[in-house]
Amino acid sequence: MKELTIAADRCEESRIFFGRGVSSRIERADFVITDSNVNRIYGDRIAQWNAPVFVMEAGEEHKNEKTLFSALEAMKDAGLMRGDTVLAFGGGVVGDLGGLASALYMRGTNFVSVPTTLLAQVDASVGGKTAIDFRGVKNLVGVFRQPSRVYVDCSYLSTLPDREIRCGLGEIVKHAALDGALFDRLVNNKARLFDLRFLEDTVFGNIEYKASVVRRDAFEAGARVCLNLGHTTAHVYELATNLSHGECVLVGIIAEAEIAARYCETDGAYLEALKALARLALGKTPKLPAAETVAPLARLDKKNSEKDTVALTVPVKRGEYKILQLPYEAYEKELKLTGEIL
Ligand code: NAD
Ligand code: GLY
């Protein structure tokens, strides 16, 4: 088993345990939040925690206020108290919604996370961002609250459909765009991108990288904005298509690498290699809706600081990124090109 701790300023300590079978070390859960697919596959595992279970419908479209309040109602009905432990068992959707429910109930209960998707293991379960989508905007309502413990158990990856591996690769390629060593490792193992053994060996390095960023800036006041690389464009497509988060991150990385090449000083060969990696992970080229219909979604992005400007975290060189503030009209024009460059 490997272990690391995130002890960031003004945050509760978060301990992350990594290894096959590590989630069997969980001694206590007073309430479990999961989704319908995970419950179907791992119902026996969940039953071992011997706690009331809230099963949400699987899918991003259920990461909303209706599910959040149903979860809170179930927590009340279970007589949950402030000192109790809420355990989120599932992918990033369950983790984001479960973390928010745990943070809101009685102004905060103990929160433990067991991520079961590749995406949640390398990214969503680490760092304390919780949220629901609201009124057509991704992650509009949420809080920062670190889980007290995260149990990253790669044995759950074996039941993931290929598409979910692809989604996890979205955030893995994003981390590679920020960290030179992670980039080299992916480029040198291109042929093994979908190989579970290789991915298992990749998860902890990704967690270490993300933890190093969160330790410096848990509340996204500075350094943590790097983790939004490709995400402004990803969020635009996520709510307007049936593509999932990780797939949209791959589209976002490709699109924003193109934008970077036009607006920043970049290393062209490096950006080509990064886009090739993202395309390899993405597989089939998705059909995207017209830029005019989706670009307005970028106006309400949390990362924007000015009204008619869209903020983008773009890759520029190996291990380097830039924050680009694009006038809205220019961003819309760039999105029109995205369909052509994918
Ligand atoms: P998800 O939670 O919807 O899971 C994807 C699918 O896999 C679901 O159908 C789920 O039921 C199924 N599943 C989960 N575990 C499984 C397993 N072991 N075997 C078989 N099926 C399994 O999606 P995701 O990709 O895990 O997460 C995406 C969400 O995470 C988005 O809402 C995104 O905004 C959020 N996110 C949050 C952060 C953060 O820092 N909080 C970071 C990245 C992404
Ligand atoms: N997934 C981006 C972040 O955690 O900041």
Side-chain angles (χ1 to χ4, degrees):
M1 184 186 80
K2 292 180 184 166
E3 180 182 343
L4 63 79
T5 300
I6 300 180
D9 214 20
R10 292 183 294 127
C11 288
E12 309 228 329
E13 188 178 83
S14 186
R15 293 178 70 190
I16 300 169
F17 305 98
F18 170 86
R20 276 185 164 256
V22 83
S23 59
S24 59
R25 289 171 174 249
I26 297 172
E27 282 157 18
R28 184 179 151 198
D30 301 297
F31 191 85
V32 178
I33 300 185
T34 189
D35 77 19
S36 45
N37 292 333
V38 179
N39 188 49
R40 182 171 37 79
I41 303 169
Y42 293 107
D44 292 349
R45 179 78 199 79
I46 293 170
Q48 283 170 19
W49 285 311
N50 203 18
V53 184
F54 175 78
V55 183
M56 66 176 284
E57 282 303 317
E60 181 75 27
E61 65 275 27
H62 298 288
K63 196 176 106 174
N64 58 23
E65 71 278 18
K66 188 163 172 273
T67 312
L68 174 70
F69 278 90
S70 299
L72 290 168
E73 196 175 343
M75 288 156 84
K76 179 199 165 265
D77 292 347
L80 214 64
M81 300 306 290
R82 187 183 262 172
D84 288 340
T85 294
V86 173
L87 189 155
F89 183 60
V93 166
V94 166
D96 277 11
L97 186 134
L100 183 57
S102 166
L104 293 176
Y105 187 82
M106 291 192 175
R107 301 198 181 96
T109 52
N110 183 40
F111 182 55
V112 171
S113 175
V114 180
T116 60
T117 61
L118 180 62
L119 183 143
Q121 297 195 346
V122 295
D123 188 356
S125 65
V126 178
K129 276 189 181 177
T130 75
I132 53 165
D133 306 330
F134 189 63
R135 301 291 184 259
V137 183
K138 268 289 291 180
N139 297 334
L140 189 67
V141 177
V143 299
F144 286 97
R145 188 137 190 282
Q146 299 295 333
S148 62
R149 283 173 167 56
V150 183
Y151 294 85
V152 181
D153 186 336
C154 285
S155 59
Y156 295 119
L157 301 182
S158 63
T159 53
L160 278 182
D162 286 352
R163 185 178 181 193
E164 299 309 331
I165 299 291
R166 189 182 305 294
C167 294
L169 281 169
E171 303 292 4
I172 290 174
V173 174
K174 176 193 79 179
H175 289 156
L178 296 165
D179 182 274
L182 292 177
F183 177 76
D184 294 345
R185 189 170 145 68
L186 287 195
V187 169
N188 294 336
N189 289 278
K190 265 192 292 209
R192 299 182 65 203
L193 224 47
F194 286 83
D195 170 348
L196 267 193
R197 279 238 82 85
F198 169 70
L199 289 169
E200 275 194 46
D201 292 342
T202 303
V203 170
F204 195 69
N206 275 261
I207 296 173
E208 279 180 317
Y209 173 72
K210 179 158 183 186
S212 72
V213 176
V214 174
R215 279 189 201 107
R216 280 184 283 147
D217 176 24
F219 296 99
E220 203 171 290
R224 188 167 177 169
V225 278
C226 72
L227 298 175
N228 295 325
L229 188 139
H231 274 57
T232 300
T233 305
H235 287 171
V236 157
Y237 287 120
E238 192 175 347
L239 289 179
T241 64
N242 56 12
L243 296 174
S244 57
H245 180 77
E247 291 167 325
C248 290
V249 171
L250 291 165
V251 171
I253 290 170
I254 298 168
E256 295 187 11
E258 283 286 328
I259 296 175
R262 276 193 285 279
Y263 288 86
C264 310
E265 193 196 321
T266 57
D267 174 340
Y270 162 75
L271 285 186
E272 286 307 317
L274 178 64
K275 283 188 291 181
L277 210 50
R279 283 197 184 101
L280 191 61
L282 191 57
K284 228 170 83 192
T285 309
K287 236 182 129 43
L288 298 175
E292 297 83 338
T293 60
V294 290
L297 291 169
R299 281 190 189 275
L300 256 184
D301 195 288
K302 295 184 293 305
K303 301 182 280 300
N304 300 342
S305 50
E306 288 166 42
K307 198 163 171 284
D308 288 315
T309 303
V310 176
L312 306 164
T313 304
V314 298
V316 286
K317 295 179 183 170
R318 182 180 173 278
E320 287 181 34
Y321 67 93
K322 225 181 159 52
I323 309 294
L324 187 61
Q325 307 282 353
L326 268 194
Y328 174 76
E329 282 69 27
Y331 180 68
E332 189 184 291
K333 213 171 102 206
E334 291 300 331
L335 268 200
K336 283 185 189 152
L337 299 174
T338 295
E340 293 160 29
I341 51 104
L342 268 185

